Amino acid sequence: VMNFDQAFAIFDELCDRAVPLDSRALNTLTLACALDRDTRRASERLATVTACMRSWRLHPQTGFFVGLLKGYHRSGQFEMFDALVARLRTGDTHSHLELDKIVMLNAASRGDATLALAMADLVAQDPASIPAVVQTLCKMGRADYAMALVSLDKLPDNNITANIRLELAISDAKVAINPSELPKATLAMIDRGFTPSFRLARNVVSAIWTLGGHGMAIRAYKQLLAAGVPKSTNMMLLGLKLHAHSSEPEAMIGIFDELRKQLAATDFHTLRVPTRAISALVMTLIEKRDVDAAQQAFDFLLTLPIPKTDLPFTPLLRYYINHRMPDRLSTLLSRLVQHDIPLDAAGIDCCCNYFAASVEATDFANFLRYLDRSQTLDRVSDSLFTLFFTTSAAEYRVVDFEWALDALIKLNRPKATWRAIVDQLGKNDPRILSTMVHAAVRLSTDKLEMARMLLLSSIKSEWRAVVADAVLTALHEHKAAASSRIYQLALSAVVATWNRVQRLAASDSKITKEFLASVLDRNLESAIAAGIGPQVICHALLVISLTAPTGVSRCLEIMQTMDPRERRVQHYGAAARGCKRFKLIAGINAVREEMLRNSVAPTAKLLNNFMACYATAAPQSMSYMEE
């Protein structure tokens, strides 16, 4: 069960030699089949086992099926578990103790208290099964039911009974009030010549840690080991975890040295380690010994059947980066990249900053691709994405730039991410920002939604006009008809930016009024056709009119595309505002003639503007005043 690959290798060799196995060995093999999460391989192996049984004229007994049920229970294959139980129960009204026991365990783990208690009543009739019943009920938080079900006074005074009493003591409400009683009870049990099981010894320390705090748990851990409690693998792993949080982390080194010897002599199929404790151990080895000792510990951990995600890559990566050890860093990173082992957020941040500062954009891009394959790209911060876009654009790495942007789009980051990227790229280089926005719209499957999100995310940014221009340009190039909402957001952003630029000195703004007016000039007609509100039209005409001498005539051209019923006197007033700034008598006359042609009556304010323009006109144009 600890290493079922090796178990099946032995089984295959015995079959080749025609050596029959007994029923217990075959039952264990069925358990291994059910534990295997590779269902195809498990089915093939189970078929091989049953075929050998038939050749040896053996028939599956209850133990065979219980082995399957144990495997399905431990691996969480509950549908298979339920189906097999139902099949075994069909037509069989007799109770089978082992079957009832595994059903009890499964019901407890799935939260079915009613079934678990009913099975506990049946299983408790067998004295040998009482430890399993008590353990299950205590895990469910029903120690009271266990005490009522089991008559401890009637049990023999032996090691099994002592362990049952200890199991009940861990769940006792009195212990929760005064956790110091628990190590006393355990030491008293040892003094009587009994030994707590590996599991219970660890559970005692864990319970004290939970109930009495960290310091009391360390004292209990040391007391139990001094009293002769065996140093099991799980007990020492707990010791690592305890000392990782203590004021004496160097104690982990001695525990790990013992643990290493024990693990080297043990053949596990899988092993779970406390990841934070292992990481703290590596950092302690670096501090108290040297990095070579830490690397050796890491290399040993690599040989164990530990999930690669639990390995302490980050402390070593950080050390190699900070101490400029590129060869060791490259070796460690190659292990990560080759096997797509995911890094934690701290390691990702550390490596991304290293790649951004020390190497070319291509290496940075390859690291991001590894993060994408290991499904950890979402842990990259907004600032690091921005840094990558800036670096790759500066090195003209278009492919890398667009790949990262496409990956970012697929992550479905919130508007805050895009807001941060827009602000930072705008500060670095507005041209890179424009490129990013243009590519984001092009790469999106829903271009209008991406356009809307970019406009909303930049609504408070000083670079919102750059975003608006890139969004509208990209939509136009890809023949995606922008909605009135998008036009409303985009043109409002341009007008707001123009108003801000108006208040600044020319040297204080990276965005010119001419650029803003050109954005409105190119898009206003399409926006009017899409149905934007008259207020935005009025503000846009005002900006165009006030920016260049040709703006007045352009405003009149744009107004020609409007439905005559939608033209307002405010629109003509906005078009005429530029006449006063540029002293355009001809422009005033053009506006006036257009109003007469469309029967639009001027307001007193507009007439005052006309007169102010005549008054500020050049002397050679004074003849218009008489008229």
Side-chain angles (χ1 to χ4, degrees):
V1 174
M2 289 193 298
N3 190 334
F4 43 77
D5 288 332
Q6 187 173 347
F8 274 99
I10 296 171
F11 170 68
D12 292 338
E13 184 179 349
L14 292 173
C15 288
D16 292 340
R17 296 183 182 183
V19 179
L21 277 73
D22 64 9
S23 59
R24 287 197 306 167
L26 292 169
N27 295 346
T28 304
L29 287 172
T30 61
L31 168 60
C33 290
L35 281 173
D36 195 346
R37 291 188 178 277
D38 186 337
T39 53
R40 180 179 178 181
R41 181 175 60 192
S43 298
E44 292 173 354
R45 284 178 169 175
L46 185 59
T48 303
V49 171
T50 53
C52 289
M53 290 177 67
R54 285 194 296 271
S55 68
W56 297 329
R57 296 182 180 180
L58 296 174
H59 300 286
Q61 302 297 323
T62 302
F64 177 90
F65 297 111
V66 168
L68 280 177
L69 288 174
K70 286 181 178 178
Y72 293 146
H73 165 67
R74 293 185 192 178
S75 60
Q77 301 180 65
F78 295 142
E79 291 184 3
M80 298 288 287
F81 184 94
D82 293 339
L84 182 55
V85 169
R87 184 176 176 183
L88 293 173
R89 295 292 196 200
T90 303
D92 188 354
T93 58
H94 296 89
S95 176
H96 296 280
L97 180 65
E98 288 299 316
L99 179 59
D100 291 340
K101 187 187 296 184
I102 189 62
V103 171
M104 175 190 69
L105 295 173
N106 185 260
S109 67
R110 294 165 72 175
D112 189 347
T114 303
L115 180 58
L117 294 177
M119 291 295 104
D121 290 339
L122 293 174
V123 176
Q125 296 174 13
D126 175 36
S129 300
I130 289 177
V133 172
V134 172
Q135 179 185 340
T136 301
L137 293 174
C138 287
K139 277 186 179 180
M140 294 172 59
R142 295 302 305 272
D144 56 336
Y145 194 90
M147 291 179 182
L149 184 65
V150 178
S151 299
L152 293 175
D153 296 336
K154 296 180 180 180
L155 296 177
D157 189 20
N158 55 22
N159 202 69
I160 295 175
T161 305
N163 274 271
I164 292 174
R165 292 181 186 277
L166 183 59
E167 183 94 58
L168 292 169
I170 294 173
S171 302
D172 193 347
K174 295 178 182 178
V175 169
I177 298 172
N178 187 9
S180 61
E181 293 297 321
L182 191 54
K184 292 179 182 177
T186 310
L187 292 172
M189 169 185 170
I190 295 171
D191 290 341
R192 292 175 58 216
F194 301 128
T195 305
S197 67
F198 290 171
R199 178 185 62 82
L200 279 180
R202 185 187 186 282
N203 287 356
V204 164
V205 179
S206 296
I208 295 170
W209 191 0
T210 302
L211 300 172
H214 187 259
M216 186 182 292
I218 289 183
R219 287 195 298 273
Y221 174 81
K222 292 178 179 179
Q223 287 173 347
L224 292 181
L225 292 185
V229 170
K231 295 180 179 179
S232 67
T233 299
N234 285 334
M235 189 68 163
M236 284 193 282
L237 288 173
L238 178 61
L240 285 177
K241 194 173 179 181
L242 278 169
H243 287 89
H245 297 80
S246 72
S247 58
E248 300 177 349
E250 60 273 10
M252 288 191 294
I253 298 176
I255 296 173
F256 181 72
D257 290 340
E258 290 188 65
L259 183 62
R260 180 189 297 192
K261 295 176 185 177
Q262 184 165 314
L263 291 175
T266 308
D267 187 16
F268 284 100
H269 176 65
T270 58
L271 180 67
R272 299 295 302 196
V273 296
T275 53
R276 291 186 180 179
I278 292 296
S279 183
L281 169 69
V282 171
M283 289 189 285
T284 304
L285 285 168
I286 291 173
E287 181 182 345
K288 300 297 182 180
R289 291 185 180 175
D290 53 37
V291 72
D292 291 331
Q295 183 66 60
Q296 289 171 7
F298 181 83
D299 292 339
F300 172 73
L301 292 170
L302 273 176
T303 64
L304 299 176
I306 297 172
K308 296 298 184 283
T309 53
D310 292 349
L311 291 171
F313 284 93
T314 298
L316 288 173
L317 286 171
R318 186 182 289 113
Y319 184 89
Y320 293 150
I321 288 172
N322 292 341
H323 291 78
R324 299 182 180 180
M325 303 173 74
D327 293 338
R328 289 196 174 191
L329 177 63
S330 177
T331 301
L332 196 58
L333 283 173
S334 66
R335 287 175 172 171
L336 285 165
V337 173
Q338 287 173 7
H339 302 288
D340 293 334
I341 302 169
L343 262 178
D344 59 18
I348 290 171
D349 199 59
C350 185
C351 289
C352 282
N353 280 305
Y354 165 75
F355 281 111
S358 309
V359 295
E360 298 178 350
T362 301
D363 295 325
F364 196 173
N366 289 336
F367 184 72
L368 291 179
R369 287 185 173 93
Y370 142 71
L371 295 179
D372 187 39
R373 291 195 305 273
S374 60
Q375 299 180 351
T376 51
L377 190 62
D378 58 329
R379 298 178 185 174
V380 177
S381 65
D382 300 342
S383 60
L384 287 172
F385 266 119
T386 304
L387 191 57
F388 174 76
F389 291 138
T390 304
T391 306
S392 57
E395 295 182 13
Y396 301 102
R397 303 296 305 181
V398 178
V399 174
D400 294 335
F401 184 99
E402 293 193 350
W403 174 86
L405 187 58
D406 186 47
L408 181 63
I409 291 168
K410 291 175 181 175
L411 288 176
N412 292 320
R413 286 282 183 93
K415 288 196 288 290
T417 294
W418 294 101
R419 185 182 306 121
I421 291 173
V422 164
D423 284 340
Q424 195 58 49
L425 285 181
K427 291 175 184 176
N428 294 340
D429 190 339
R431 292 172 298 179
I432 297 177
L433 172 59
S434 180
T435 301
M436 188 276 292
V437 172
H438 193 283
V441 175
R442 174 168 54 83
L443 293 169
S444 298
T445 53
D446 190 342
K447 294 179 172 36
L448 295 181
E449 177 58 27
M450 174 54 71
R452 188 187 69 83
M453 190 179 68
L454 286 168
L455 290 169
L456 289 172
S457 64
S458 63
I459 206 164
K460 294 182 179 179
S461 171
E462 61 178 304
W463 310 103
R464 57 195 294 196
V466 177
V467 174
D469 176 48
V471 161
L472 294 178
T473 302
L475 291 176
H476 176 72
E477 289 179 1
H478 294 88
K479 298 180 173 55
S483 63
S484 61
R485 173 63 173 158
I486 288 176
Y487 274 121
Q488 191 97 3
L489 289 169
L491 298 192
S492 296
V494 177
V495 170
T497 304
W498 189 88
N499 289 332
R500 187 180 62 84
V501 172
Q502 277 281 88
R503 297 189 295 269
L504 298 174
S507 59
D508 293 338
S509 176
K510 293 184 179 180
I511 302 175
T512 65
K513 291 183 283 186
E514 289 74 20
F515 164 74
L516 298 170
S518 69
V519 175
L520 294 172
D521 191 342
R522 283 183 277 111
N523 294 286
L524 186 53
E525 290 184 32
S526 301
I528 291 170
I532 62 167
Q535 196 71 16
V536 178
I537 298 172
C538 185
H539 289 155
L541 290 172
L542 181 63
V543 170
I544 295 171
S545 170
L546 289 172
T547 303
T550 57
V552 177
S553 59
R554 179 59 184 145
C555 286
L556 294 175
E557 289 176 13
I558 293 171
M559 289 172 64
Q560 290 294 330
T561 65
M562 297 175 63
D563 188 327
R565 293 170 298 180
E566 295 180 355
R567 295 172 191 162
R568 304 284 188 271
V569 66
Q570 291 84 357
H571 297 151
Y572 290 101
R577 285 284 295 277
C579 299
K580 179 180 178 181
R581 171 172 289 188
F582 299 108
K583 301 178 182 180
L584 301 175
I585 300 301
I588 288 291
N589 291 333
V591 173
R592 187 183 62 183
E593 290 170 4
E594 191 66 27
M595 293 178 69
L596 289 171
R597 185 179 302 112
N598 291 284
S599 302
V600 177
T603 62
K605 184 177 180 179
L606 182 54
L607 288 173
N608 286 335
N609 286 338
F610 286 171
M611 297 306 295
C613 181
Y614 287 132
T616 57
Q620 60 266 31
S621 301
M622 288 298 289
S623 59
Y624 285 105
M625 293 286 289
E626 299 170 1
E627 185 179 337

